[in-house]
Amino acid sequence: MARRKQIYEGKAKILFEGPEPGTIIQYFKDDATAFNNKKHAVLEGKGVLNNRISEYIMLGLERIGVTTHFIRRLNMREQLVRHVEIVPIEVVVRNIAAGTISKRLGIEDGTVLPRSIIEFYYKDDKLGDPLVSEEHITAFNWANPQEIDDMMAVALRINDFLSGLFSGVGIKLVDFKVEFGRQYEGDMMRLIVADEISPDSCRLWDMESGDIMDKDRFRKDLGDVTDAYREVARRLGVLRESENPGQSGPVLVSDNGD
Ligand code: TMP
Ligand code: ASP
């Protein structure tokens, strides 16, 4: 890692300069944080699983025509992505009430929402990523009205895609968060999906048992966090049925020599 220039270190990932201009290497750490960094742990193998799950989802999105920053996975913990200017907005789509919407509006956890609801959060750790409206986003120039429309439309397409993908493997997609980046090519600019989509950024409930299979296991001290992520990966076909990763860390289907 010493040979590369680190650009940024976040709570769960590190970004390094990529091999060609316009590229970045995204390194998935095992660190988990919650409640704006108040809670922290290192969960062995989480980064490896998220790298692989996010790759799988980004490739699936590309197949349905949603452009993402993903170029290719490099190894167990790293993927090559396009360099983008991150829009400082977290776009959350909710299908079932859980987390902050339940608390804020007094809706019982597990209530199916009348329709999918989109929310925007301003990305600012010091402020704890506050909920904001379109008015705030345009007034403070975090994104323009066209970009907001585009982000909403793409977020709903991602919701349809992910809902189908997960329901096919017996998992309910409760909610998820997605981030977008601006990619500049000459005079042209386009918004593409960035960051990661993984059990760190989704709520996933087992359809039969209702078991939590996402980062809420960490937030709520339920234990077996990586086991749950591993099960998500296994059901998606990212881990081979015959392999039992056990306690020694995840064993991945290898296709490029890692
Ligand atoms: P919330 O209920 O805490 O607002 O979270 C909504 C969804 O967004 C949930 O799937 C978790 C995800 N999320 C992130 O990915 N990053 C964050 O910083 C937060 C607060 C939520
Ligand atoms: N990722 C955020 C944090 O580290 C919040 C969360 O996911 O709960 O605080």
Side-chain angles (χ1 to χ4, degrees), residues 30-258:
D30 282 341
D31 298 65
T33 68
F35 313 116
N36 204 18
N37 237 346
K38 286 189 194 78
K39 184 169 176 171
H40 174 261
V42 176
L43 306 172
E44 207 187 317
K46 178 178 82 84
V48 176
L49 289 160
N50 280 355
N51 183 23
R52 202 55 194 256
I53 294 169
S54 195
E55 170 196 26
Y56 181 80
I57 291 173
M58 296 287 180
L59 287 173
L61 288 174
E62 294 280 355
R63 271 199 296 277
I64 62 157
V66 172
T67 310
T68 79
H69 71 161
F70 183 83
I71 301 172
R72 67 177 183 275
R73 188 167 58 83
L74 298 171
N75 55 49
M76 297 270 278
R77 289 190 181 272
E78 295 175 334
Q79 45 184 247
L80 188 66
V81 301
R82 295 188 176 85
H83 187 133
V84 293
E85 173 190 284
I86 289 284
V87 176
I89 298 295
E90 298 192 346
V91 181
V92 169
V93 182
R94 301 179 186 272
N95 301 307
I96 297 171
T100 57
I101 196 173
S102 300
K103 280 191 208 71
R104 186 177 296 116
L105 304 181
I107 306 172
E108 196 185 333
D109 260 27
T111 308
V112 177
L113 297 168
R115 61 177 171 81
S116 301
I117 293 175
I118 302 179
E119 295 174 339
F120 302 108
Y121 293 84
Y122 177 48
K123 268 172 74 70
D124 186 317
D125 281 346
K126 285 197 292 297
L127 301 174
D129 296 350
L131 179 70
V132 292
S133 71
E134 293 184 42
E135 279 287 285
H136 297 114
I137 297 173
T138 52
F140 297 116
N141 263 320
W142 296 325
N144 66 37
Q146 181 63 55
E147 289 176 326
I148 295 176
D149 283 354
D150 290 351
M151 291 193 292
M152 290 175 78
V154 174
L156 290 176
R157 286 188 71 194
I158 297 173
N159 188 43
D160 287 345
F161 172 77
L162 288 181
S163 294
L165 181 74
F166 284 120
S167 74
V169 296
I171 295 173
K172 257 195 270 192
L173 178 67
V174 174
D175 57 32
F176 68 95
K177 182 264 302 185
V178 66
E179 295 186 25
F180 292 87
R182 299 185 183 98
Q183 189 196 8
Y184 295 93
E185 266 173 11
D187 292 345
M188 298 286 286
M189 189 277 287
R190 61 175 182 168
L191 270 189
I192 65 178
V193 175
D195 194 53
E196 72 181 291
I197 301 179
S198 73
D200 268 10
S201 57
C202 301
R203 282 198 175 89
L204 304 170
W205 294 354
D206 182 81
M207 261 179 197
E208 297 266 302
S209 63
D211 281 355
I212 293 173
M213 306 176 76
D214 58 70
K215 204 168 101 177
D216 268 352
R217 296 204 72 85
F218 171 67
R219 295 189 190 96
K220 297 177 176 201
D221 290 321
L222 299 175
D224 300 329
V225 185
T226 43
D227 288 343
Y229 285 34
R230 195 175 295 128
E231 176 61 13
V232 171
R234 191 192 65 77
R235 289 199 202 176
L236 291 174
V238 167
L239 295 179
R240 267 192 226 116
E241 282 294 333
S242 59
E243 284 166 337
N244 180 7
Q247 295 306 305
S248 59
V251 176
L252 295 171
V253 178
S254 183
D255 57 13
N256 66 355
D258 56 32

